[in-house]
Amino acid sequence: INQLNLLTGALPAQYGDRTAGIVDIHTKNGDQGNGGSIDVFGGSHQTIKTSADVFGSQGPFSYYFSGSLGENNLGIENPTSSASPIHDQTRQGDAFGLMSYIINPLTRVSLMFGTTSNQFEIPNTPGLPTAFTLNGDTAFDSSKLNETQSELNQFAVVALQGTNGGALDYQVALFTRYSRTQFNPDPVGDLLFNGVAASDFHSDSANGVQADTTYRLNNKHTLRAGISFQQEHAIFNNNLSVFPADADGNQLSDQPFNVPDSSSKTGYLYSAYIQDEWKLTDKLSINYGLRYDKMDEYVSASQLSPRVGLVYALTPSTTVHAGYSRYFTPPAFELVSGEDIARFVGTTAQTSSQNDPVQPERSHYFDLGITQRLSSTVTVGVDAYYKKSTNLLDEGQFGTALIFTPFNYKYGRVYGVEFTSNYKQDNVSAYMNVAFSRAQGKDIDSAQFNFDASELAYISNHWVYLDHDQRVTASFGGAYQLGKTTFTFDGIVGSGLRSGFANTDHLPFYCLLYTSPSPRDRQKS
């Protein structure tokens, strides 16, 4: 990463699908000369990580490649209060590449690709009681469970960028993506503790094309338009070992048997947008547009979404922004499955609830804020937002595998206010942010089999907090540059996420602090 920006609020029409925020990453490239670096990093929990990069250019061709390989004994969050988790080793590797070729002064083609491969041990909690009997045995030390999970992600994008040398810019990109997750259960331990041992395999491949254009009509109007198409294919293989059970879920035999649970699905996403950035005056600009999205996956749905936002410079030091966006958010296709829960009737994996298909979320999003430059070194701001949703999307981990499952609340509301401040003078910079938020849903209307009947009944009549709701969140930090070395510190403070029955409880307050010196220039020829 060379530069990273986070875009939030009422997004313009060019952004769709995942609209909680846009992580805008500008990668490093080979236009800055020839060189490279090798780094070795070590720390607590037997952490060791080696990374390297190499970059350069020759004539119209430039390149940047990087990779890393590491391991530690704290791969997944520790479920106990001990400083040293049990059975939590991880090995992780990744690689990234960017190549660019200038065809002529007005046209460039680039190829970007990446891969990551991670292996995790699932950490254990000692002293847990078993709940089932296997071959006449009920004893098992929960600290000896041996569950593991592996993950593979790969992507590639080839893009043609160009301009007519005047008012028109364009980009056409072809992309492909593949992901795979494999959870390996402890066949004996999982049956004794959960009555189910599931070998979960999920894979997903996606291919598509996206085209975007920008046309500067005149000094006041900049038009943008684009289209995209994506085909996605998901495979699920979640074969289960279970015990026979009666209608109340009581175990009838200590001899397990297998229930096959495999499926696959192909889905399609279509999108198009058009928008106009209109500078009415030197102080006021409006960005308005329309976006159309259609999905044809486990359900078929579409929406035409208006977007409008304005920025007004009240004074040279005061800027006000406001916006409204209509959003259409499909569920993550690789996490949704058309699981037939009827096949689990008469087993310890049975459920009495229904399994309505997961729907796309439809929402109205409102945003209002102001930024004030108090001096040449200090800037502060405040922003308020409100989102009203139908079929609000949420995700939960309902099994032993670290794989999330999407579901919908029939009604949703998310609102809050954020305060920001920044300081910059010479070689010293600092920031502090504080956010107050509420995220609530009511009446689960899809994938209901993941919840107990009592919890479903309660949520159908009450607004409940989402599991990622946090009343107060704060972040702060600073940096001091001394020669070629930059000393930094950062902190995050939270009042605690939600937990318990229908998320009526919450986790404790927490504070995380980070500090490090880092060299400014690590290039080596």
Side-chain angles (χ1 to χ4, degrees), residues 180-220:
R180 184 185 71 209
T181 301
Q182 171 72 57
F183 173 79
N184 303 301
D186 186 313
V188 175
D190 283 2
L191 281 169
L192 286 170
F193 286 104
N194 306 314
V196 178
S199 178
D200 295 334
F201 174 84
H202 290 192
S203 72
D204 182 82
S205 58
N207 300 284
V209 59
Q210 179 174 325
D212 298 273
T213 61
T214 299
Y215 184 73
R216 289 170 288 278
L217 186 63
N218 51 47
N219 292 333
K220 291 185 177 295

Side-chain angles (χ1 to χ4, degrees), residues 226-376:
I227 58 173
S228 65
F229 166 78
Q230 176 177 292
Q231 181 194 60
E232 199 164 359
H233 183 70
I235 297 175
F236 305 91
N237 191 344
N238 305 329
N239 292 328
L240 284 71
S241 292
V242 295
F243 295 113
D246 61 22
D248 296 323
N250 299 311
Q251 184 179 359
L252 296 177
S253 170
D254 63 358
Q255 299 297 308
F257 65 97
N258 293 328
V259 177
D261 182 23
S262 300
S263 63
S264 64
K265 180 71 173 178
T266 300
Y268 303 89
L269 292 176
Y270 314 84
S271 298
Y273 72 89
I274 184 170
Q275 67 186 54
D276 176 25
E277 183 180 346
W278 181 14
K279 295 183 178 180
L280 284 82
T281 68
D282 292 339
K283 295 183 177 181
L284 176 63
S285 63
I286 298 178
N287 195 326
Y288 61 97
L290 283 174
R291 182 179 182 90
Y292 176 78
D293 293 285
K294 176 177 173 58
M295 61 176 288
D296 186 7
E297 299 178 338
Y298 286 96
V299 299
S300 294
S302 62
Q303 180 174 289
L304 184 64
S305 305
R307 312 276 182 91
V308 61
L310 63 87
V311 178
Y312 182 56
L314 285 174
T315 70
S317 60
T318 306
T319 302
V320 176
H321 68 266
Y324 163 78
S325 292
R326 178 74 165 143
Y327 289 149
F328 177 85
T329 306
F333 184 69
E334 70 273 14
L335 300 179
V336 180
S337 68
E339 191 167 47
D340 180 13
I341 60 176
R343 72 181 68 186
F344 305 127
V345 173
T347 76
T348 45
Q350 69 185 353
T351 175
S352 58
S353 299
Q354 60 196 96
N355 183 25
D356 290 330
V358 181
Q359 302 288 330
E361 177 181 324
R362 304 173 190 267
S363 60
H364 301 273
Y365 190 97
F366 303 88
D367 180 78
L368 177 65
I370 184 171
T371 301
Q372 176 69 48
R373 192 172 68 251
L374 299 179
S375 68
S376 60

Side-chain angles (χ1 to χ4, degrees), residues 30-47:
D31 295 335
Q32 301 158 350
N34 300 311
S37 66
I38 298 177
D39 299 305
V40 179
F41 172 82
S44 58
H45 299 288
Q46 299 185 25
T47 298

